[in-house]
mmCIF file of all heavy atoms in Angstrom:
data_model
loop_
_atom_site.group_PDB
_atom_site.id
_atom_site.type_symbol
_atom_site.label_atom_id
_atom_site.label_comp_id
_atom_site.label_asym_id
_atom_site.label_seq_id
_atom_site.Cartn_x
_atom_site.Cartn_y
_atom_site.Cartn_z
ATOM 1 N N ARG A 1383 13.258 5.081 -0.886
ATOM 2 C CA ARG A 1383 12.361 6.115 -0.361
ATOM 3 C C ARG A 1383 10.912 5.911 -0.787
ATOM 4 O O ARG A 1383 9.996 6.303 -0.078
ATOM 5 C CB ARG A 1383 12.817 7.497 -0.811
ATOM 6 C CG ARG A 1383 14.127 7.893 -0.217
ATOM 7 C CD ARG A 1383 14.486 9.305 -0.589
ATOM 8 N NE ARG A 1383 15.064 9.895 0.594
ATOM 9 C CZ ARG A 1383 14.872 11.129 0.983
ATOM 10 N NH1 ARG A 1383 14.130 11.918 0.272
ATOM 11 N NH2 ARG A 1383 15.429 11.576 2.067
ATOM 12 N N LEU A 1384 10.688 5.336 -1.938
ATOM 13 C CA LEU A 1384 9.344 5.122 -2.471
ATOM 14 C C LEU A 1384 9.113 3.621 -2.604
ATOM 15 O O LEU A 1384 9.852 2.935 -3.301
ATOM 16 C CB LEU A 1384 9.208 5.804 -3.827
ATOM 17 C CG LEU A 1384 7.831 5.825 -4.460
ATOM 18 C CD1 LEU A 1384 6.870 6.634 -3.604
ATOM 19 C CD2 LEU A 1384 7.910 6.418 -5.846
ATOM 20 N N THR A 1385 8.084 3.117 -1.923
ATOM 21 C CA THR A 1385 7.834 1.679 -1.898
ATOM 22 C C THR A 1385 6.380 1.392 -2.270
ATOM 23 O O THR A 1385 5.490 1.489 -1.430
ATOM 24 C CB THR A 1385 8.127 1.108 -0.497
ATOM 25 O OG1 THR A 1385 9.437 1.482 -0.114
ATOM 26 C CG2 THR A 1385 8.016 -0.400 -0.483
ATOM 27 N N PRO A 1386 6.108 1.041 -3.523
ATOM 28 C CA PRO A 1386 4.766 0.589 -3.888
ATOM 29 C C PRO A 1386 4.632 -0.905 -3.586
ATOM 30 O O PRO A 1386 5.595 -1.669 -3.664
ATOM 31 C CB PRO A 1386 4.690 0.855 -5.388
ATOM 32 C CG PRO A 1386 6.101 0.835 -5.848
ATOM 33 C CD PRO A 1386 6.954 1.260 -4.693
ATOM 34 N N ALA A 1387 3.409 -1.320 -3.239
ATOM 35 C CA ALA A 1387 3.159 -2.718 -2.923
ATOM 36 C C ALA A 1387 1.725 -3.069 -3.298
ATOM 37 O O ALA A 1387 0.823 -2.239 -3.211
ATOM 38 C CB ALA A 1387 3.380 -2.988 -1.439
ATOM 39 N N VAL A 1388 1.518 -4.310 -3.715
ATOM 40 C CA VAL A 1388 0.183 -4.812 -4.018
ATOM 41 C C VAL A 1388 0.088 -6.241 -3.484
ATOM 42 O O VAL A 1388 1.043 -7.010 -3.553
ATOM 43 C CB VAL A 1388 -0.139 -4.742 -5.532
ATOM 44 C CG1 VAL A 1388 0.791 -5.614 -6.333
ATOM 45 C CG2 VAL A 1388 -1.579 -5.086 -5.804
ATOM 46 N N THR A 1389 -1.071 -6.567 -2.927
ATOM 47 C CA THR A 1389 -1.334 -7.892 -2.397
ATOM 48 C C THR A 1389 -2.651 -8.379 -2.979
ATOM 49 O O THR A 1389 -3.579 -7.584 -3.136
ATOM 50 C CB THR A 1389 -1.428 -7.853 -0.856
ATOM 51 O OG1 THR A 1389 -0.236 -7.290 -0.341
ATOM 52 C CG2 THR A 1389 -1.619 -9.234 -0.274
ATOM 53 N N ALA A 1390 -2.739 -9.637 -3.290
ATOM 54 C CA ALA A 1390 -3.991 -10.229 -3.769
ATOM 55 C C ALA A 1390 -4.360 -11.382 -2.844
ATOM 56 O O ALA A 1390 -3.557 -12.288 -2.624
ATOM 57 C CB ALA A 1390 -3.840 -10.726 -5.195
ATOM 58 N N VAL A 1391 -5.558 -11.328 -2.290
ATOM 59 C CA VAL A 1391 -6.062 -12.372 -1.404
ATOM 60 C C VAL A 1391 -7.366 -12.878 -2.000
ATOM 61 O O VAL A 1391 -8.283 -12.098 -2.239
ATOM 62 C CB VAL A 1391 -6.297 -11.830 0.025
ATOM 63 C CG1 VAL A 1391 -6.794 -12.929 0.933
ATOM 64 C CG2 VAL A 1391 -5.049 -11.184 0.570
ATOM 65 N N MET A 1392 -7.444 -14.181 -2.236
ATOM 66 C CA MET A 1392 -8.652 -14.768 -2.832
ATOM 67 C C MET A 1392 -9.202 -15.843 -1.906
ATOM 68 O O MET A 1392 -8.442 -16.647 -1.359
ATOM 69 C CB MET A 1392 -8.333 -15.373 -4.194
ATOM 70 C CG MET A 1392 -7.787 -14.363 -5.170
ATOM 71 S SD MET A 1392 -7.599 -15.021 -6.803
ATOM 72 C CE MET A 1392 -9.257 -14.778 -7.389
ATOM 73 N N GLY A 1393 -10.521 -15.855 -1.765
ATOM 74 C CA GLY A 1393 -11.187 -16.870 -0.970
ATOM 75 C C GLY A 1393 -11.677 -18.012 -1.839
ATOM 76 O O GLY A 1393 -11.830 -17.867 -3.055
ATOM 77 N N LEU A 1394 -11.947 -19.131 -1.231
ATOM 78 C CA LEU A 1394 -12.430 -20.302 -1.965
ATOM 79 C C LEU A 1394 -13.836 -20.105 -2.522
ATOM 80 O O LEU A 1394 -14.233 -20.787 -3.464
ATOM 81 C CB LEU A 1394 -12.397 -21.539 -1.065
ATOM 82 C CG LEU A 1394 -10.994 -21.985 -0.622
ATOM 83 C CD1 LEU A 1394 -11.110 -23.155 0.346
ATOM 84 C CD2 LEU A 1394 -10.140 -22.337 -1.807
ATOM 85 N N ASN A 1395 -14.584 -19.172 -1.946
ATOM 86 C CA ASN A 1395 -15.950 -18.925 -2.411
ATOM 87 C C ASN A 1395 -16.027 -17.873 -3.511
ATOM 88 O O ASN A 1395 -17.108 -17.455 -3.901
ATOM 89 C CB ASN A 1395 -16.837 -18.528 -1.235
ATOM 90 C CG ASN A 1395 -16.366 -17.256 -0.563
ATOM 91 O OD1 ASN A 1395 -15.318 -16.731 -0.878
ATOM 92 N ND2 ASN A 1395 -17.152 -16.778 0.382
ATOM 93 N N GLY A 1396 -14.877 -17.392 -4.024
ATOM 94 C CA GLY A 1396 -14.882 -16.441 -5.129
ATOM 95 C C GLY A 1396 -14.712 -14.996 -4.733
ATOM 96 O O GLY A 1396 -14.686 -14.116 -5.586
ATOM 97 N N THR A 1397 -14.593 -14.706 -3.451
ATOM 98 C CA THR A 1397 -14.362 -13.336 -3.025
ATOM 99 C C THR A 1397 -12.871 -13.013 -3.090
ATOM 100 O O THR A 1397 -12.036 -13.898 -3.008
ATOM 101 C CB THR A 1397 -14.864 -13.113 -1.590
ATOM 102 O OG1 THR A 1397 -14.174 -14.009 -0.718
ATOM 103 C CG2 THR A 1397 -16.348 -13.340 -1.492
ATOM 104 N N PHE A 1398 -12.560 -11.743 -3.233
ATOM 105 C CA PHE A 1398 -11.159 -11.337 -3.279
ATOM 106 C C PHE A 1398 -10.990 -9.927 -2.735
ATOM 107 O O PHE A 1398 -11.920 -9.135 -2.711
ATOM 108 C CB PHE A 1398 -10.602 -11.417 -4.707
ATOM 109 C CG PHE A 1398 -11.289 -10.507 -5.676
ATOM 110 C CD1 PHE A 1398 -10.818 -9.230 -5.881
ATOM 111 C CD2 PHE A 1398 -12.387 -10.939 -6.393
ATOM 112 C CE1 PHE A 1398 -11.449 -8.383 -6.782
ATOM 113 C CE2 PHE A 1398 -13.019 -10.115 -7.294
ATOM 114 C CZ PHE A 1398 -12.547 -8.827 -7.490
ATOM 115 N N VAL A 1399 -9.782 -9.642 -2.292
ATOM 116 C CA VAL A 1399 -9.397 -8.332 -1.786
ATOM 117 C C VAL A 1399 -8.041 -7.996 -2.394
ATOM 118 O O VAL A 1399 -7.146 -8.837 -2.414
ATOM 119 C CB VAL A 1399 -9.297 -8.324 -0.248
ATOM 120 C CG1 VAL A 1399 -8.799 -6.987 0.260
ATOM 121 C CG2 VAL A 1399 -10.618 -8.666 0.383
ATOM 122 N N VAL A 1400 -7.906 -6.773 -2.906
ATOM 123 C CA VAL A 1400 -6.642 -6.328 -3.488
ATOM 124 C C VAL A 1400 -6.243 -5.018 -2.813
ATOM 125 O O VAL A 1400 -6.704 -3.949 -3.206
ATOM 126 C CB VAL A 1400 -6.744 -6.136 -5.014
ATOM 127 C CG1 VAL A 1400 -5.410 -5.690 -5.583
ATOM 128 C CG2 VAL A 1400 -7.217 -7.404 -5.684
ATOM 129 N N PRO A 1401 -5.397 -5.079 -1.768
ATOM 130 C CA PRO A 1401 -4.878 -3.851 -1.166
ATOM 131 C C PRO A 1401 -3.654 -3.352 -1.941
ATOM 132 O O PRO A 1401 -2.734 -4.111 -2.209
ATOM 133 C CB PRO A 1401 -4.499 -4.254 0.253
ATOM 134 C CG PRO A 1401 -4.656 -5.716 0.346
ATOM 135 C CD PRO A 1401 -5.127 -6.237 -0.962
ATOM 136 N N VAL A 1402 -3.668 -2.077 -2.291
ATOM 137 C CA VAL A 1402 -2.561 -1.441 -2.998
ATOM 138 C C VAL A 1402 -2.033 -0.334 -2.092
ATOM 139 O O VAL A 1402 -2.807 0.485 -1.598
ATOM 140 C CB VAL A 1402 -3.024 -0.850 -4.349
ATOM 141 C CG1 VAL A 1402 -1.886 -0.137 -5.037
ATOM 142 C CG2 VAL A 1402 -3.613 -1.925 -5.227
ATOM 143 N N GLY A 1403 -0.721 -0.313 -1.869
ATOM 144 C CA GLY A 1403 -0.148 0.679 -0.967
ATOM 145 C C GLY A 1403 1.040 1.380 -1.571
ATOM 146 O O GLY A 1403 1.744 0.842 -2.423
ATOM 147 N N LEU A 1404 1.276 2.600 -1.110
ATOM 148 C CA LEU A 1404 2.419 3.392 -1.540
ATOM 149 C C LEU A 1404 2.961 4.100 -0.304
ATOM 150 O O LEU A 1404 2.228 4.841 0.362
ATOM 151 C CB LEU A 1404 2.007 4.413 -2.595
ATOM 152 C CG LEU A 1404 3.101 5.299 -3.136
ATOM 153 C CD1 LEU A 1404 4.086 4.484 -3.965
ATOM 154 C CD2 LEU A 1404 2.516 6.409 -3.982
ATOM 155 N N THR A 1405 4.218 3.856 0.006
ATOM 156 C CA THR A 1405 4.869 4.484 1.152
ATOM 157 C C THR A 1405 6.006 5.361 0.645
ATOM 158 O O THR A 1405 6.830 4.910 -0.137
ATOM 159 C CB THR A 1405 5.429 3.427 2.121
ATOM 160 O OG1 THR A 1405 4.374 2.589 2.554
ATOM 161 C CG2 THR A 1405 6.074 4.083 3.329
ATOM 162 N N TYR A 1406 6.012 6.610 1.107
ATOM 163 C CA TYR A 1406 7.089 7.539 0.768
ATOM 164 C C TYR A 1406 7.815 7.918 2.053
ATOM 165 O O TYR A 1406 7.205 8.439 2.988
ATOM 166 C CB TYR A 1406 6.550 8.783 0.075
ATOM 167 C CG TYR A 1406 7.645 9.767 -0.271
ATOM 168 C CD1 TYR A 1406 8.581 9.458 -1.249
ATOM 169 C CD2 TYR A 1406 7.752 10.970 0.389
ATOM 170 C CE1 TYR A 1406 9.600 10.341 -1.564
ATOM 171 C CE2 TYR A 1406 8.758 11.867 0.077
ATOM 172 C CZ TYR A 1406 9.683 11.535 -0.901
ATOM 173 O OH TYR A 1406 10.689 12.403 -1.207
ATOM 174 N N ARG A 1407 9.121 7.633 2.104
ATOM 175 C CA ARG A 1407 9.940 7.939 3.274
ATOM 176 C C ARG A 1407 10.668 9.256 3.005
ATOM 177 O O ARG A 1407 11.683 9.281 2.316
ATOM 178 C CB ARG A 1407 10.930 6.812 3.520
ATOM 179 C CG ARG A 1407 11.816 7.013 4.735
ATOM 180 C CD ARG A 1407 12.797 5.872 4.898
ATOM 181 N NE ARG A 1407 12.152 4.604 5.089
ATOM 182 C CZ ARG A 1407 11.756 4.103 6.259
ATOM 183 N NH1 ARG A 1407 11.961 4.810 7.346
ATOM 184 N NH2 ARG A 1407 11.183 2.936 6.328
ATOM 185 N N TYR A 1408 10.124 10.350 3.545
ATOM 186 C CA TYR A 1408 10.737 11.661 3.355
ATOM 187 C C TYR A 1408 12.066 11.731 4.100
ATOM 188 O O TYR A 1408 13.076 12.146 3.551
ATOM 189 C CB TYR A 1408 9.779 12.756 3.824
ATOM 190 C CG TYR A 1408 10.265 14.146 3.539
ATOM 191 C CD1 TYR A 1408 10.254 14.650 2.249
ATOM 192 C CD2 TYR A 1408 10.747 14.945 4.558
ATOM 193 C CE1 TYR A 1408 10.718 15.925 1.981
ATOM 194 C CE2 TYR A 1408 11.218 16.211 4.302
ATOM 195 C CZ TYR A 1408 11.198 16.702 3.017
ATOM 196 O OH TYR A 1408 11.670 17.957 2.754
ATOM 197 N N THR A 1409 12.049 11.380 5.352
ATOM 198 C CA THR A 1409 13.261 11.187 6.159
ATOM 199 C C THR A 1409 13.045 9.904 6.952
ATOM 200 O O THR A 1409 11.989 9.287 6.876
ATOM 201 C CB THR A 1409 13.507 12.361 7.131
ATOM 202 O OG1 THR A 1409 12.430 12.422 8.051
ATOM 203 C CG2 THR A 1409 13.640 13.676 6.399
ATOM 204 N N ASP A 1410 14.036 9.513 7.746
ATOM 205 C CA ASP A 1410 13.874 8.308 8.555
ATOM 206 C C ASP A 1410 12.791 8.470 9.621
ATOM 207 O O ASP A 1410 12.255 7.487 10.116
ATOM 208 C CB ASP A 1410 15.190 7.928 9.228
ATOM 209 C CG ASP A 1410 16.161 7.306 8.241
ATOM 210 O OD1 ASP A 1410 15.704 6.848 7.180
ATOM 211 O OD2 ASP A 1410 17.371 7.304 8.532
ATOM 212 N N SER A 1411 12.447 9.698 9.973
ATOM 213 C CA SER A 1411 11.442 9.918 11.005
ATOM 214 C C SER A 1411 10.109 10.446 10.470
ATOM 215 O O SER A 1411 9.193 10.688 11.248
ATOM 216 C CB SER A 1411 11.982 10.892 12.053
ATOM 217 O OG SER A 1411 12.287 12.121 11.448
ATOM 218 N N LEU A 1412 9.970 10.612 9.152
ATOM 219 C CA LEU A 1412 8.727 11.118 8.567
ATOM 220 C C LEU A 1412 8.328 10.255 7.373
ATOM 221 O O LEU A 1412 9.037 10.212 6.374
ATOM 222 C CB LEU A 1412 8.890 12.580 8.139
ATOM 223 C CG LEU A 1412 7.670 13.267 7.540
ATOM 224 C CD1 LEU A 1412 6.516 13.294 8.543
ATOM 225 C CD2 LEU A 1412 8.024 14.673 7.086
ATOM 226 N N LEU A 1413 7.198 9.557 7.512
ATOM 227 C CA LEU A 1413 6.713 8.654 6.472
ATOM 228 C C LEU A 1413 5.298 9.035 6.062
ATOM 229 O O LEU A 1413 4.489 9.447 6.894
ATOM 230 C CB LEU A 1413 6.684 7.207 6.970
ATOM 231 C CG LEU A 1413 8.001 6.458 7.036
ATOM 232 C CD1 LEU A 1413 8.750 6.834 8.275
ATOM 233 C CD2 LEU A 1413 7.723 4.995 6.984
ATOM 234 N N PHE A 1414 5.010 8.889 4.771
ATOM 235 C CA PHE A 1414 3.676 9.112 4.222
ATOM 236 C C PHE A 1414 3.188 7.792 3.636
ATOM 237 O O PHE A 1414 3.867 7.180 2.819
ATOM 238 C CB PHE A 1414 3.698 10.185 3.131
ATOM 239 C CG PHE A 1414 4.127 11.531 3.624
ATOM 240 C CD1 PHE A 1414 5.455 11.925 3.541
ATOM 241 C CD2 PHE A 1414 3.205 12.398 4.169
ATOM 242 C CE1 PHE A 1414 5.853 13.163 3.989
ATOM 243 C CE2 PHE A 1414 3.596 13.647 4.624
ATOM 244 C CZ PHE A 1414 4.920 14.036 4.533
ATOM 245 N N ASP A 1415 2.005 7.358 4.041
ATOM 246 C CA ASP A 1415 1.408 6.102 3.578
ATOM 247 C C ASP A 1415 0.078 6.387 2.882
ATOM 248 O O ASP A 1415 -0.767 7.098 3.430
ATOM 249 C CB ASP A 1415 1.098 5.175 4.754
ATOM 250 C CG ASP A 1415 2.204 4.220 5.073
ATOM 251 O OD1 ASP A 1415 3.009 3.942 4.178
ATOM 252 O OD2 ASP A 1415 2.246 3.752 6.215
ATOM 253 N N PHE A 1416 -0.103 5.813 1.704
ATOM 254 C CA PHE A 1416 -1.367 5.892 0.975
ATOM 255 C C PHE A 1416 -1.784 4.473 0.636
ATOM 256 O O PHE A 1416 -0.977 3.700 0.117
ATOM 257 C CB PHE A 1416 -1.207 6.723 -0.303
ATOM 258 C CG PHE A 1416 -0.694 8.103 -0.049
ATOM 259 C CD1 PHE A 1416 0.651 8.400 -0.207
ATOM 260 C CD2 PHE A 1416 -1.550 9.107 0.360
ATOM 261 C CE1 PHE A 1416 1.134 9.665 0.034
ATOM 262 C CE2 PHE A 1416 -1.075 10.381 0.608
ATOM 263 C CZ PHE A 1416 0.271 10.663 0.444
ATOM 264 N N LYS A 1417 -3.038 4.127 0.915
ATOM 265 C CA LYS A 1417 -3.510 2.764 0.661
ATOM 266 C C LYS A 1417 -4.921 2.782 0.082
ATOM 267 O O LYS A 1417 -5.752 3.609 0.448
ATOM 268 C CB LYS A 1417 -3.515 1.943 1.942
ATOM 269 C CG LYS A 1417 -2.124 1.678 2.455
ATOM 270 C CD LYS A 1417 -2.114 0.757 3.625
ATOM 271 C CE LYS A 1417 -0.666 0.573 4.050
ATOM 272 N NZ LYS A 1417 -0.514 -0.183 5.246
ATOM 273 N N TYR A 1418 -5.156 1.852 -0.833
ATOM 274 C CA TYR A 1418 -6.483 1.624 -1.403
ATOM 275 C C TYR A 1418 -6.756 0.125 -1.359
ATOM 276 O O TYR A 1418 -5.906 -0.671 -1.760
ATOM 277 C CB TYR A 1418 -6.563 2.128 -2.848
ATOM 278 C CG TYR A 1418 -7.886 1.831 -3.493
ATOM 279 C CD1 TYR A 1418 -9.024 2.527 -3.113
ATOM 280 C CD2 TYR A 1418 -8.005 0.851 -4.461
ATOM 281 C CE1 TYR A 1418 -10.248 2.251 -3.687
ATOM 282 C CE2 TYR A 1418 -9.223 0.572 -5.038
ATOM 283 C CZ TYR A 1418 -10.343 1.275 -4.649
ATOM 284 O OH TYR A 1418 -11.554 1.002 -5.209
ATOM 285 N N THR A 1419 -7.905 -0.237 -0.860
ATOM 286 C CA THR A 1419 -8.285 -1.639 -0.754
ATOM 287 C C THR A 1419 -9.554 -1.865 -1.558
ATOM 288 O O THR A 1419 -10.586 -1.255 -1.286
ATOM 289 C CB THR A 1419 -8.523 -2.033 0.715
ATOM 290 O OG1 THR A 1419 -7.346 -1.748 1.456
ATOM 291 C CG2 THR A 1419 -8.849 -3.500 0.843
ATOM 292 N N TYR A 1420 -9.446 -2.725 -2.564
ATOM 293 C CA TYR A 1420 -10.596 -3.065 -3.412
ATOM 294 C C TYR A 1420 -11.134 -4.424 -2.986
ATOM 295 O O TYR A 1420 -10.385 -5.385 -2.879
ATOM 296 C CB TYR A 1420 -10.182 -3.097 -4.875
ATOM 297 C CG TYR A 1420 -11.301 -3.533 -5.790
ATOM 298 C CD1 TYR A 1420 -12.382 -2.703 -6.019
ATOM 299 C CD2 TYR A 1420 -11.278 -4.779 -6.393
ATOM 300 C CE1 TYR A 1420 -13.424 -3.095 -6.843
ATOM 301 C CE2 TYR A 1420 -12.313 -5.184 -7.219
ATOM 302 C CZ TYR A 1420 -13.374 -4.336 -7.436
ATOM 303 O OH TYR A 1420 -14.400 -4.731 -8.239
#
């Protein structure tokens, strides 16, 4: 029901992006998604 996830993407020029997500499945037909991208 609760699925946290993190991804790290790095470029060759030193840039990076870190998206962090949290999905909560209340029922099979109702989902809540929270995401932060640094």
Side-chain angles (χ1 to χ4, degrees):
R1383 293 185 140 218
L1384 187 64
T1385 306
V1388 63
T1389 304
V1391 181
M1392 300 187 84
L1394 295 176
N1395 61 353
T1397 59
F1398 62 90
V1399 176
V1400 181
V1402 177
L1404 180 68
T1405 302
Y1406 179 69
R1407 181 181 299 273
Y1408 186 73
T1409 63
D1410 285 340
S1411 60
L1412 181 61
L1413 283 80
F1414 297 94
D1415 268 337
F1416 303 98
K1417 292 186 180 174
Y1418 176 72
T1419 303
Y1420 176 71

